[in-house]
Amino acid sequence: MAADTTHTASPVDARALEAGLDALETAVVAPRRSAWSTAWSAFWPTALALGVFVAVWQVVYLARVKPEYALPGPADVAATFVGILQDGTALKASALSLQRGGLGFVVSVVVGVVLGVAMATIPLLRRAIGPMITGLQSLPSIAWVPAAVIWFGLSNTTIFAVVLLGAVPSIVNGLLTGVDQVPPLFLRVGRVLGAQGWDRIRFVLLPAALPGFLGGLKQGWAFAWRSLMAAELITNAPRLGTGLGQVLDLGRTLSDMSLVIAAIFLIFAVGIAIELLVFSPLERRVLHARGLTGLAGQ
């Protein structure tokens, strides 16, 4: 009989079920942490990894795996690093490279967003040039340097051209990835509310794609920075000034391995600083605004 086979939930089970459903609707609140605690939790793992790296480096140096001129010890490199800090070379070179990289990245974002939006809204255009954009992204940036030198000579235009050619494809693909991850429901709701044309792109498509697009922006900056270093290494002329790439090339020319390693450390430090000071806070703000805690990565 049906009365014998139907399971009737007890009042206790029903209340537990209701409590569970209510818990699912409760917003996840990230634990509040002080600025010092947040900064320390981000700093100490990196500091520990650097400490281990320097210790291994010192051991290899003491073992004389390579001659001292080819592999100086951490103390020699530290002395060279302090020297270029004191005479202003490090600050001036970092400022010039950051100026070039920042301007090139901003222009790359503008070009990448315009091209990415066009490809996202015109399927034929995406099918036509999408494979070429992906192919350009995999092309090493240094391959563009000889062509840019022939086109523009030894000038800042050459450097900015290499930065754009290196960064734009990754920004375009990042935007397309973000658009592909937009839930169809958002697009239907926007259409029902009358969002068409530019309004649909501005108020629905781009805001919804922003969390996924952030990854493309970070990758675009990485490509822009690497492209800039490749261009500065080869495009070397006194009237262009001395960026970090030119400091690196100066160390190679002088066979000064301590200067080469100090320049590499500066390039590395600038990359970490941009990540910690620009992209990480921006990513946290966007995730917080969308109700995402980002706790999965902690």
Side-chain angles (χ1 to χ4, degrees):
M1 296 177 62
D4 298 331
T5 56
T6 303
H7 175 70
T8 302
S10 67
V12 176
D13 293 339
R15 284 196 295 271
L17 179 60
E18 291 177 0
L21 293 174
D22 290 342
L24 289 176
E25 295 179 353
T26 303
V28 177
V29 179
R32 300 184 67 84
R33 304 169 66 181
S34 65
W36 166 253
S37 176
T38 302
W40 174 249
S41 64
F43 171 75
W44 78 261
T46 303
L48 178 62
L50 283 175
V52 171
F53 173 76
V54 172
V56 172
W57 177 8
Q58 179 67 23
V59 169
V60 173
Y61 168 72
L62 293 176
R64 293 290 187 266
V65 175
K66 288 285 187 181
E68 189 169 351
Y69 72 85
L71 183 61
D76 296 330
V77 175
T80 301
F81 185 74
V82 172
I84 61 175
L85 279 178
Q86 290 177 337
D87 65 14
T89 300
L91 183 60
K92 291 178 182 177
S94 300
L96 181 58
S97 291
L98 272 174
Q99 182 183 357
R100 287 169 171 163
L103 180 59
F105 178 67
V106 170
V107 176
S108 299
V109 170
V110 173
V111 174
V113 168
V114 171
L115 185 57
V117 167
M119 292 174 65
T121 53
I122 306 175
L124 179 60
L125 180 64
R126 182 170 183 176
R127 290 198 301 273
I129 67 174
M132 288 188 284
I133 294 292
T134 303
L136 288 174
Q137 185 177 354
S138 62
L139 187 68
S141 303
I142 198 168
W144 288 111
V145 178
V149 170
I150 293 174
W151 290 335
F152 306 111
L154 295 178
S155 65
N156 280 315
T157 305
T158 296
I159 296 175
F160 287 122
V162 175
V163 172
L164 257 67
L165 289 168
V168 167
S170 60
I171 294 173
V172 171
N173 277 335
L175 179 58
L176 292 175
T177 301
V179 169
D180 291 342
Q181 294 174 353
V182 173
L185 179 62
F186 289 12
L187 303 179
R188 288 201 295 270
V189 170
R191 196 159 45 240
V192 169
L193 295 178
Q196 299 291 335
W198 170 243
D199 288 341
R200 174 175 174 269
I201 295 172
R202 180 183 176 187
F203 296 110
V204 180
L205 199 61
L206 290 180
L210 184 57
F213 181 42
L214 277 177
L217 287 179
K218 292 171 69 173
Q219 194 176 40
W221 166 254
F223 274 84
W225 188 242
R226 282 186 283 181
S227 302
L228 175 65
M229 292 302 109
E232 286 187 344
L233 267 173
I234 297 178
T235 311
N236 198 346
R239 60 190 172 84
L240 298 179
T242 304
L244 289 175
Q246 278 104 8
V247 173
L248 190 62
D249 189 56
L250 177 64
R252 179 196 62 81
T253 304
L254 300 176
S255 296
D256 186 348
M257 194 62 185
S258 295
L259 181 58
V260 169
I261 297 177
I264 292 173
F265 177 77
L266 270 175
I267 296 169
F268 174 71
V270 170
I272 290 181
I274 294 298
E275 168 64 25
L276 294 180
L277 299 178
V278 178
F279 288 108
S280 290
L282 179 63
E283 191 172 31
R284 283 198 299 271
R285 177 171 295 186
V286 170
L287 291 178
H288 179 74
R290 302 303 170 89
L292 304 172
T293 63
L295 294 176
Q298 298 182 10

